[in-house]
Amino acid sequence: MPELPEAETMARDLQRRTPGLLIADLLAAYPPIIASDGDLFREILVGQTIVQVGRLGKLVRFDLSSGAAFFAHLKMTGQFALGPWPGSLEGHWPPHARVAFLLKGVGSTTTLFYKDVRKFGRLRAFAADKVQAYVDGLALGPDPLTVDPQIFHKRLSAQRGRLKGVLLDQKIVAGFGNIYADESLFAAGLSPLRSAASLSEKETSLLLTEARRIMNESIKLRGSTVDNYQGLEGGGSYQDKHQAYGKGGKPCPKCGQPFLKVAVLGRSTVYCPVCQN
Ligand SMILES: [Zn+2]
């Protein structure tokens, strides 16, 4: 959490509200969130205008007027919120706000807060000539919303690991986390324990179709609010549509048998032993 649909919702909210605004100042109440050198982070960002906000896998990317960019790796509980400028580290900060960006527009001032309950998220900024090297270094796999089905098949079928673990590996395909992996595998009737290499082209194609349907529906509903996730313009409601995720022991909606809960690579995994093969 947040996964592709939640990062996409945040990026779209930010894209509606922040392009054209100048980053006039910033404060870090919890400096370790800034993974770049703190002085360099400030030097790269302050004085620049936000040009565009988008998503890269599960990351949110801000492009700035100088060609520089900064990236938010949201990890467990990272999110953004708007509010008034706290003025200092002793000023009024919203709960769990770790970094504050003072944004100035024509006749308007607002503050973009990076909030993170668990504090595992990281912000990184790169000068224009370093951005591409950072993106290349992430070595992210293709995006499930746009990847060609044949490429998706090739990437999965090259992996001997269990399907669930392969889907979570951002270098193979970028965007799945625990929620959308469990939901997509249930919808496609595929066991998370199968070797990814054993999937036929028909099976990977069905998995991709179901993953896209689920992620696109979730984006329409502003993602899944599990734990504390909120976009700038409020939380999501896709959690009400979850079929399998988090439902270990409950009856499968297709066959009525109880869902099993197992660990795959240390990640809690829920599946129906009857419907998922
Ligand atoms: Zn079932």
Side-chain angles (χ1 to χ4, degrees):
M1 272 296 294
E3 306 177 22
L4 185 155
E6 293 75 36
E8 179 70 24
T9 300
M10 277 188 223
R12 289 184 186 185
D13 284 357
L14 289 159
Q15 173 64 16
R16 270 194 291 276
R17 304 284 204 93
T18 63
L21 301 181
L22 174 89
I23 303 172
D25 199 358
L26 68 89
L27 286 168
Y30 182 74
I33 290 284
I34 298 171
S36 309
D37 172 85
D39 292 338
L40 188 63
F41 188 80
R42 162 174 284 277
E43 193 181 303
I44 290 171
L45 268 59
V46 173
Q48 298 303 318
T49 300
I50 298 171
V51 174
Q52 183 173 297
V53 187
R55 177 183 61 79
L56 186 65
K58 298 193 282 186
L59 281 70
V60 174
R61 170 179 174 155
F62 294 75
D63 282 292
L64 307 177
S65 44
S66 60
F70 91 93
F71 297 84
H73 203 144
L74 307 161
K75 293 291 178 88
M76 297 292 287
T77 52
Q79 55 186 265
F80 290 94
L82 296 173
W85 179 241
S88 71
L89 295 179
E90 289 73 41
H92 179 74
W93 287 66
H96 314 299
R98 309 301 180 190
V99 181
F101 302 90
L102 177 61
L103 302 182
K104 290 193 171 172
V106 180
S108 75
T109 300
T110 188
T111 300
L112 180 66
F113 290 100
Y114 174 75
K115 297 168 71 176
D116 198 333
V117 175
R118 305 278 303 271
K119 300 190 278 197
F120 291 134
R122 291 294 177 263
L123 306 179
R124 290 180 176 86
F126 298 93
D129 61 343
K130 302 266 186 349
V131 172
Q132 195 55 45
Y134 174 66
V135 172
D136 292 345
L138 290 170
L140 293 176
D143 196 284
L145 295 185
T146 53
V147 64
D148 178 271
Q150 284 182 330
I151 292 174
F152 183 69
H153 177 73
K154 265 188 200 154
R155 296 186 76 90
L156 261 60
S157 60
Q159 301 297 325
R160 292 211 188 110
R162 288 179 164 174
L163 192 45
K164 171 70 180 279
V166 168
L167 282 184
L168 293 182
D169 185 341
Q170 303 299 300
K171 290 182 161 61
I172 296 168
V173 56
F176 285 96
N178 226 13
I179 296 175
Y180 297 96
D182 279 4
E183 289 296 311
S184 302
L185 290 170
F186 175 68
L190 295 170
S191 168
L193 307 181
R194 255 179 81 174
S195 154
S198 75
L199 265 63
S200 67
E201 216 164 326
K202 201 175 158 193
E203 287 174 318
T204 53
S205 168
L206 178 63
L207 175 57
L208 185 59
T209 300
E210 290 298 330
R212 278 186 188 161
R213 177 184 64 74
I214 286 165
M215 287 178 171
N216 282 320
E217 193 182 346
S218 180
I219 291 166
K220 272 190 201 143
L221 296 175
R222 302 184 50 76
S224 300
T225 289
V226 175
D227 299 329
N228 73 332
Y229 155 78
Q230 298 275 308
L232 272 191
E233 297 166 7
S237 58
Y238 191 72
Q239 68 279 6
D240 300 336
K241 307 267 183 187
H242 292 172
Q243 301 277 299
Y245 172 77
K247 299 195 189 290
K250 299 211 171 117
C252 164
K254 290 182 189 166
C255 74
Q257 291 298 306
F259 276 118
L260 291 184
K261 185 176 163 185
V262 297
V264 178
L265 297 178
R267 303 295 302 274
S268 167
T269 297
V270 172
Y271 75 105
C272 174
V274 178
C275 301
Q276 292 176 253
N277 298 292

